[in-house]
Amino acid sequence: MSSSPPRTRIAVIGSGPSGSILSALLADKGVDVTLFNGGKRPDMIVGESGIPALVPVMRRLGIEDAVAALAQHKPGATFSFGSESPIQLSFRSIEGILPAYSYNLPRPQFDQIIENRARRSETRWIEKEATILVAPEGSNREVILDDATLALVPEWQGEQPDLIVDATGRRRTVAKLLKIPVKTGPRKDAAHFAHYAGWKHPGPPGQIIISRTAFGGWSWQIPLKDCMSVGVVIPREILNSFGATPGERLEAAIARDPILSAAGPDRKRISEVPIYSNYQLISDRAYGPGWAAVGDAFGFVDPMLSPGMWIALRSGECLADLIQAEGGNRWDTLLATYESEMRGRLTAWQELIEKFYNGQMMAAYATGESFMKMIPGPLMKIFNRHVDRHFAAMCCGAYTERPYSRKLLDFVCKNPRGFDPKDYAIG
Ligand SMILES: Cc1cc2nc3c(=O)[nH]c(=O)nc-3n(C[C@H](O)[C@H](O)[C@H](O)COP(=O)(O)OP(=O)(O)OC[C@H]3O[C@@H](n4cnc5c(N)ncnc54)[C@H](O)[C@@H]3O)c2cc1C
């Protein structure tokens, strides 16, 4: 008699976007998945601007219609970093590469849609926080679920799962437990954000606006269906000069900045003001014997250009695609492949975002525009369109990791003719 190999057992800790997509996709392919849900999500969650690369992920999960019903259609992004008129990027320039749109997402509701998708799968759902411990010496794994957590899954009969996945976001449970070193980014900003009613937006509808602020940091305006999400990213050294409370600081920042204060006197804050600080952080390791980390639990680059949620979802997708439902998983190789793909992705985004902060990207754009005026003609037009398409596809998540696009961007960024990157840099 032949017996079928045992099903792979995975414990996912955390039901944010990365944990929910991972659980849904694993359960769809027949893996024995248990998800531990850490409780109610907050009413305000930062991360409301989506990039076009999110759309194929939503389609894979079969949730795009549900998202479209509550999210704001997003046709592009406007950047205002220099003294000239703002640059309006339309996602139409990536037609044929990715869907030429994305969404601005009310996060608690969007997260709930992904969570519901996981709930509709065969995922075993445990409404309790999981407790993870360092494994005892001599064990072939680095971390384990404690006895009380394991007892919540009687089907596993006291046996540890094949893999524990840390999807606990910035809590980074396993990395902290194992004291894994991190690489932090150069920026030490604090982001404050809130929702506003009556906020005047220059359009087009749904277009997000990213602008350098008069005081050195930068800001976002993300139109949601029924309000405007407004965020300011303030360098730490000057934070206290804006006020004592988060609300005071956000209002002072808006008042001090001409682009934000153009929102008009009718604006009214309708939410609390959450703060996020020191968020540029990537762990030196995303896996070890018996565990892996997805989403922010592995790393987060920066809010600039909004790649966070897509990277978090892609990490869940990437790991789910590598795991087989029944036996045969060569964990070391599989997890090394996962980490290498995700680290490459985070590094590519870091590289791209740095070019926004140091002003190279905007100086290159201004150079292209001025060449178009000085040397009009079909060849210059074709070259400029080629460069624009690659820039746009990198910012939208399609070409960010492509060697050719990265080299092209490096080339144009290193040759700004007559435009000084310092004039566009964000201090
Ligand atoms: C200032 C700022 C601006 C941002 N702006 C954008 C943006 O515009 N666009 C964008 O795409 N991204 C943005 N992001 C990033 C984005 O919000 C995150 O990358 C994304 O939410 C990460 O998802 P996650 O699933 O990894 O973690 P999370 O969403 O944090 O989910 C983690 C979950 O784990 C649960 N949990 C924790 N511990 C336990 C436990 N022991 N047991 C069970 N459950 C547990 C928590 O309750 C939570 O539900 C921004 C981030 C910052 C800091």
Side-chain angles (χ1 to χ4, degrees), residues 71 109 121 124 196 209 234 249 252 307 316 341 360 363 407-408:
Q109 294 91 324
S121 73
R124 188 178 299 109
Y196 282 83
I209 301 175
I234 306 176
R249 290 196 287 265
E341 178 174 335
Q360 285 184 334
K407 283 207 179 92
L408 181 69

Side-chain angles (χ1 to χ4, degrees), residues 89 93 365 369 383-393:
L89 169 77
S93 55
Y365 187 88
E369 292 295 291
F383 178 72
N384 224 29
R385 203 178 290 153
H386 178 72
V387 174
D388 276 0
R389 190 161 157 87
H390 278 263
F391 273 15

